[in-house]
Amino acid sequence: MGSFAIETRSLSKTFVTKRGFWRRKTKSTLAVEDISFNVNQGELFGILGPNGAGKTTTVKMLSTLLLPTSGSISILGLDILKNTLEIRKRIGFTFGGARGLYGRLSARDNLRYFAELYGLAPEITRKRIVELLEMVGLTGREEDRVETFSSGMQQRLHLARALLHNPELIFLDEPTVGIDPVGARELRAAIKTLIARGKTILLTTHYMAEAEELCDRIAIVNKGNIVAMDTPSSLKVRIGRETVIEVDVDQQNLESLKIQLVKLDHLSKVEYSAEKLINRISIHTSEPENILRLLGPFLQAKSIQGLEVRNQTMEDVYVAIIQGEKK
Amino acid sequence: MILDQLRLVSRQVNVQLRMRTFNWYTVALFFLQPAVFSAVGMILSRAAGNQAPDLVYTVIGGGIMGMWSGLVFSSTYDIRSDRREGTLELIVGSPTSLRKVEAIRTFSNVMAGLVSLLAAFLAAVFIFKYPLQQVNVPGVLISLILLLFGLWSLGVFLANFLVWSRLSGSLVDFLELPVAVLCGFMYPIQILPNWMQGISAIFPIRWALQAMQASLQGSEINGIIWQKWGLALAISLVFWSISLWLDRKVHNMIRLTGELSSI
Ligand SMILES: Nc1ncnc2c1ncn2[C@@H]1O[C@H](COP(=O)(O)OP(=O)(O)O)[C@@H](O)[C@H]1O
Ligand SMILES: [Mg+2]
């Protein structure tokens, strides 16, 4: 095994659930179908995908909490099946949401408890707790019961908990889910600090912008498979340097505009969506000037209610890839 | 090394206690209920014309009932609350084995049960004037230690099922009463039909309890007592071995099903 922090080969996971008491029905869910990727030491690797794509399942397999149905995993050069205990000592993980803390205990007592499970000496625990609470911005709240914390504060405490034993490799499953934008920004700042300190991080998210801001590389997963994997900038290039023109138009003018657009079919990819009496047309094109010329008369007639012209964002790339998959 | 272990134990018990709500219900469960059980048993037993030595079953019977149902209640409570809080998964993913955590918790739950035993005993002695002169103190103490050890081994054994899945966890609730009936908590086990006595033989606490009842009635430490002690210890150890084996199975099973994170 090389110097990869994470190495996976053809990872798959099928959940078999039994329902009913008398005639047990068996249902299998293919959560992860076939996933292979490597993460370098010191890298911040993102797994991006919609709900149910298999992100959490993948992270749980990598962090020894779930056994893969097939495929192999090596963490820090150690085999996941043979060296479970050694791996557990050297990795940290958090799972998104409010669960995973003792609500009736203070922040400090929660951290003390988990420090004990990781076998930290008391003097080290004391020092680490002060440092970590400082890092995640919870200094001053250490004596408060965790159930009184906002979800943002809980997420940050999760992060502190995952870092107690100073792990080399950290798994963060949807670390910013359910937090307000300010809280999410603080959390992202904390994640950047960790990378600066040489940690390796695997992060999952369903927010494209977050993946783009943080990650060195991104694997986009959908239905248990990696559908694209690259650096954020290469992923953008892959779709081409297209311009996105979004036009809001009322029902009356929709048809005539459609007829015009069909003529320029070769230039663009057009999508229609309707919301509250307004029809939105999204046009992805490499020749925006031609489209805009076509829209001129409609603009003059004031039959267009909204117009936006912008460069393609990662969000567009993500949507394009996931939708391309569906077809 | 030993200091580290003790710290783990104290931290564990600390969290365990603080996750509980201490209210009148808990007090009733651990203290009043056993005392009431014993008192009712005493009254009924006297009404039936039993003399002092026969009252032994009710002296500690209520206490044993309290210890046992307290153990079942606390152990299921601990695991269910960890499952609900999502912390069970975090414990499994840590370098400390869940087996160890469960052993510590069950131990503290068993020790907490001593409160129940004490309550029943005090009720019997002070309210119902159970005579203490004939009691074989060393015999009672050794039986008590074996009883605690037996309860501990049973608790750890059952914890495996609670961790395994919510469905098999219900089994533990279901077992609470039958075990109490089978082990002769409140009456001489001889009054049970043979087949029931046969089943109860697999529970270490039955043997420890019988030795304890005999010692309370003033029996000296003879061959029969030794035999019961031996059985209590041996069967407890068998339960421990099965638990170790089950623990490995359960650890793999929960990692196959993902059961830990579902509520
Ligand atoms: N323990 C489980 N038992 C059965 N099915 C599960 C379990 N955990 C996840 N799944 C299923 O696996 C699929 C992937 O889930 P998950 O990995 O949680 O996706 P994501 O984290 O990307 O939202 C979903 O269809 C989900 O319902
Ligand atoms: Mg998820």
Side-chain angles (χ1 to χ4, degrees):
Chain A
M1 293 281 168
S3 62
F4 291 118
I6 303 174
E7 225 178 319
T8 74
R9 289 280 160 280
S10 310
L11 203 54
S12 84
K13 177 74 190 175
T14 304
F15 287 107
V16 180
T17 38
K18 294 201 170 81
R19 290 255 167 272
F21 196 73
W22 185 234
R23 286 207 189 113
R24 306 270 273 165
K25 282 191 199 110
T26 316
K27 182 176 160 253
S28 24
T29 313
L30 183 59
V32 171
E33 189 172 347
D34 183 0
I35 281 185
S36 305
F37 64 88
N38 297 333
V39 176
N40 298 309
Q41 303 274 357
E43 191 175 14
L44 205 171
F45 186 85
I47 296 184
L48 174 73
N51 288 332
K55 303 183 294 295
T56 301
T57 306
T58 304
V59 170
K60 286 191 176 167
M61 287 193 281
L62 298 177
S63 54
T64 76
L65 291 169
L66 279 178
L67 293 172
T69 306
S70 66
S72 67
I73 303 175
S74 150
I75 298 292
L76 302 166
L78 300 162
D79 181 80
I80 199 98
L81 297 176
K82 293 190 199 112
N83 306 92
T84 313
L85 181 62
E86 179 63 20
I87 292 174
R88 286 179 178 175
K89 288 179 186 160
R90 291 169 60 184
I91 63 169
F93 48 81
T94 69
F95 295 101
R99 300 173 71 230
L101 292 164
Y102 292 101
R104 295 205 186 135
L105 266 57
S106 69
R108 192 201 300 280
D109 282 338
N110 267 283
L111 294 180
R112 274 200 198 133
Y113 175 73
F114 286 105
E116 207 60 68
L117 290 181
Y118 281 84
L120 298 191
E123 55 290 354
I124 297 180
T125 303
R126 221 169 297 134
K127 223 178 82 217
R128 288 291 289 164
I129 290 179
V130 174
E131 278 170 22
L132 287 170
L133 287 175
E134 174 73 41
M135 184 193 141
V136 299
L138 288 174
T139 307
R141 301 298 303 268
E142 48 270 58
E143 300 306 335
D144 296 350
R145 278 184 174 209
V146 167
E147 63 194 4
T148 67
F149 282 14
S150 70
S151 48
M153 292 164 73
Q154 293 193 357
Q155 287 284 32
R156 283 181 278 149
L157 190 57
H158 278 305
L159 183 62
R161 191 218 75 232
L163 298 174
L164 278 167
H165 54 298
N166 202 11
E168 299 152 59
L169 170 60
I170 304 151
F171 297 95
L172 305 173
D173 188 29
E174 310 236 10
T176 58
V177 76
I179 325 187
D180 61 82
V182 178
R185 195 163 62 211
E186 283 169 359
L187 202 86
R188 285 198 292 270
I191 293 172
K192 285 177 191 162
T193 319
L194 289 173
I195 283 296
R197 291 183 192 167
K199 305 284 182 198
T200 307
I201 297 180
L202 183 143
L203 166 142
T204 79
T205 179
H206 62 261
Y207 303 121
M208 183 67 230
E210 183 166 288
E212 183 181 13
E213 178 187 338
L214 290 172
C215 300
D216 299 315
R217 276 189 309 144
I218 300 172
I220 299 181
V221 294
N222 196 23
K223 295 180 190 148
N225 288 294
I226 295 182
V227 293
M229 177 160 58
D230 220 323
T231 60
S233 49
S234 308
L235 278 175
K236 267 197 214 176
V237 169
R238 181 183 292 206
I239 301 296
R241 295 175 176 281
E242 293 191 338
T243 300
V244 181
I245 302 173
E246 286 182 328
V247 187
D248 290 342
V249 65
D250 60 24
Q251 196 65 41
Q252 289 166 342
N253 292 292
L254 179 66
E255 288 311 314
S256 47
L257 191 54
K258 267 188 185 172
I259 293 163
Q260 296 292 319
L261 283 170
V262 168
K263 291 184 199 158
L264 292 173
D265 226 9
H266 58 288
L267 294 180
S268 57
K269 196 168 121 273
V270 184
E271 271 162 33
Y272 301 94
S273 62
E275 223 177 89
K276 288 185 190 153
L277 304 176
I278 299 287
N279 297 284
R280 168 158 293 189
I281 308 176
S282 298
I283 307 159
H284 290 241
T285 177
S286 47
E287 293 178 26
E289 59 285 359
N290 288 330
I291 303 282
L292 286 172
R293 196 171 304 134
L294 180 148
L295 291 175
F298 289 89
L299 272 172
Q300 262 171 350
K302 297 218 189 305
S303 51
I304 285 178
Q305 281 139 343
L307 176 67
E308 191 189 351
V309 184
R310 58 182 168 79
N311 287 329
Q312 202 163 32
T313 64
M314 277 302 275
E315 202 70 44
D316 300 311
V317 176
Y318 175 50
V319 171
I321 290 176
I322 297 291
Q323 282 181 343
E325 270 294 296
K326 277 190 190 140
K327 278 162 196 163
Chain B
M1 199 54 206
I2 288 183
L3 218 63
D4 290 347
Q5 299 304 316
L6 283 179
R7 223 182 35 244
L8 176 63
V9 172
S10 84
R11 181 72 56 212
Q12 189 67 54
V13 173
N14 184 304
V15 169
Q16 203 180 353
L17 292 181
R18 282 208 271 157
M19 284 306 288
R20 305 256 163 85
T21 11
F22 277 101
N23 50 24
W24 288 108
Y25 178 69
T26 342
V27 174
L29 187 71
F30 279 92
F31 205 81
L32 286 177
Q33 188 192 327
V36 169
F37 259 117
S38 280
V40 171
M42 279 280 188
I43 291 165
L44 291 179
S45 190
R46 281 205 180 146
N50 285 333
Q51 292 307 305
D54 282 339
L55 298 177
V56 68
Y57 300 104
T58 49
V59 174
I60 48 166
I64 306 289
M65 277 296 284
M67 282 181 102
W68 171 245
S69 53
L71 175 65
V72 170
F73 173 80
S74 323
S75 301
T76 49
Y77 182 90
D78 286 343
I79 295 178
R80 278 175 194 153
S81 79
D82 260 313
R83 202 189 281 284
R84 190 181 55 242
E85 303 270 346
T87 39
L88 193 56
E89 192 162 49
L90 302 182
I91 298 173
V92 170
S94 81
T96 301
S97 66
L98 184 61
R99 185 199 321 162
K100 194 169 185 178
V101 171
E102 286 311 332
I104 294 172
R105 287 178 172 180
T106 311
F107 182 75
S108 79
N109 289 337
V110 168
M111 289 320 220
L114 280 173
V115 173
S116 303
L117 196 59
L118 190 70
F121 187 73
L122 293 178
V125 172
F126 289 105
I127 305 176
F128 294 94
K129 314 282 185 245
Y130 181 78
L132 290 175
Q133 303 83 314
Q134 85 285 6
V135 171
N136 178 347
V137 178
V140 170
L141 288 182
I142 295 175
S143 304
L144 178 62
I145 290 171
L146 287 169
L147 180 74
L148 295 175
F149 189 66
L151 277 170
W152 190 22
S153 72
L154 272 184
V156 168
F157 173 74
L158 293 177
N160 281 305
F161 294 94
L162 291 162
V163 172
W164 185 338
S165 76
R166 286 157 296 159
L167 194 66
S168 60
S170 330
L171 173 80
V172 178
D173 294 330
F174 173 76
L175 277 180
E176 184 182 340
L177 208 56
V179 170
V181 170
L182 282 175
C183 292
F185 282 178
M186 298 205 58
Y187 42 77
I189 199 144
Q190 287 78 5
I191 68 171
L192 291 177
N194 282 338
W195 65 270
M196 277 192 165
Q197 289 191 44
I199 299 177
S200 82
I202 63 164
F203 296 107
I205 49 177
R206 169 220 156 134
W207 300 106
L209 187 59
Q210 271 193 307
M212 196 175 197
Q213 289 161 342
S215 303
L216 276 167
Q217 285 172 316
S219 163
E220 58 191 70
I221 301 177
N222 53 24
I224 297 175
I225 299 278
W226 274 110
Q227 198 188 358
K228 294 193 193 308
W229 285 347
L231 280 168
L233 183 64
I235 299 173
S236 298
L237 292 175
V238 169
F239 270 99
W240 274 105
S241 328
I242 300 176
S243 291
L244 284 188
W245 174 79
L246 265 182
D247 177 79
R248 286 180 68 99
K249 293 257 166 225
V250 169
H251 184 242
N252 281 337
M253 191 67 87
I254 54 185
R255 292 196 299 155
L256 277 177
T257 58
E259 171 73 25
L260 281 183
S261 56
S262 43
I263 7 176

